[in-house]
Amino acid sequence: MGLIISDKGLETLKKIKGKIIVNICADDWKDYNRSYGNIKIELQNCFIEIENDYRLVPYFGTEEELAGYDAKILKDNKFDYSVMEEDLYTKEINKQVVGINIIRDTIMIDYKDEDKNEVYKIDQAIIFDFGIMKFCISQTSIFTPMSKITFSEDVEMEIKSIEEVKSEWIDDDLDTEVKSPKYKVHVKRKILEL
């Protein structure tokens, strides 16, 4: 399963590097640093939309709607927001992006009594580096398209740790005969520098 940004989306994000972000617009995250749905980034010559929406993907032998990121250039500034327009909040930035990182986790599920495993790839966060400050969009849950939006010198502290990701995937359904989980969870984290 892949809840990762598409190749086209990665190319779109790469275009932001070296450019000035004028502002960022999303549903009202001003007071709670949480935003449902999509985020619009205004550059000096175009608009980029960070999509955070449900995708139907294989999940533990069935199909499930899980949230994942992608990015696209907006045509005609048509932003797909999920709230009333008056509930959108715009934050002025006017800073040049010197680097962009994607935090990508690979979750491996190893079944106890079976010769099979499942692999899930999830982009947990997109980090825009302005030099002395960073802007981070990070997942709060794979089951809800909600992003945590953070401005800080140390945004990495706001991203779910590997242990937190692992705990979300731990098997609570124990094999009652031997009192052990039916599968083991392993998480590997990779930072993609764009």
Side-chain angles (χ1 to χ4, degrees):
M1 174 192 80
L3 289 172
I4 59 175
I5 299 168
S6 67
D7 290 342
K8 189 174 182 181
L10 291 175
E11 288 302 314
T12 298
L13 289 173
K14 284 179 187 177
K15 292 176 184 175
I16 297 176
K17 191 172 176 182
K19 302 273 190 329
I20 292 174
I21 292 181
V22 176
N23 63 51
I24 296 162
C25 178
D27 61 57
D28 193 6
W29 49 277
K30 179 176 155 183
D31 297 323
Y32 303 105
N33 80 335
R34 299 280 192 278
S35 176
Y36 282 99
N38 301 339
I39 297 163
K40 180 173 76 169
I41 298 174
E42 181 180 350
L43 304 175
Q44 291 175 317
N45 61 350
C46 72
F47 295 89
I48 306 281
E49 183 172 23
I50 306 294
E51 298 176 316
N52 188 18
D53 207 353
Y54 290 114
R55 303 177 196 179
L56 192 60
V57 294
Y59 179 73
F60 283 99
T62 63
E63 285 196 325
E64 202 58 60
E65 282 189 336
L66 303 178
Y69 289 124
D70 212 347
K72 68 179 183 181
I73 296 174
L74 288 175
K75 294 188 172 139
D76 303 325
N77 190 21
K78 291 187 178 172
F79 177 46
D80 186 18
Y81 45 88
S82 58
V83 295
M84 301 295 285
E85 195 167 357
E86 59 268 14
D87 293 327
L88 292 172
Y89 172 67
T90 300
K91 180 175 177 77
E92 300 270 332
I93 305 295
N94 291 313
K95 294 194 183 327
Q96 183 178 26
V97 177
V98 296
I100 300 172
N101 291 336
I102 308 295
I103 308 299
R104 181 169 290 171
D105 289 342
T106 302
I107 295 103
M108 294 153 288
I109 308 294
D110 294 325
Y111 289 89
K112 186 178 97 176
D113 295 328
E114 301 176 38
D115 189 23
K116 73 172 188 171
N117 59 38
E118 293 177 0
V119 177
Y120 300 87
K121 290 185 182 256
I122 299 171
D123 286 341
Q124 292 289 349
I126 305 167
I127 300 171
F128 299 90
D129 188 348
F130 300 115
I132 58 169
M133 181 185 76
K134 294 178 184 173
F135 162 58
C136 178
I137 302 168
S138 61
Q139 292 284 8
T140 60
S141 167
I142 61 169
F143 298 104
T144 305
M146 185 189 332
S147 297
K148 187 175 190 181
I149 299 177
T150 310
F151 289 88
S152 169
E153 293 176 20
D154 201 16
V155 293
E156 290 83 2
M157 300 302 292
E158 300 296 326
I159 299 167
K160 286 188 274 187
S161 70
I162 289 174
E163 285 306 311
E164 288 172 308
V165 171
K166 190 174 178 180
S167 72
E168 289 179 338
W169 291 80
I170 292 292
D171 183 15
D172 291 332
D173 185 20
L174 298 178
D175 185 333
T176 53
E177 291 179 25
V178 290
K179 302 276 189 223
S180 66
K182 294 181 180 176
Y183 60 84
K184 290 187 178 180
V185 179
H186 309 279
V187 178
K188 288 185 182 174
R189 179 160 284 177
K190 180 179 181 180
I191 299 174
L192 303 174
E193 294 182 20
L194 303 184

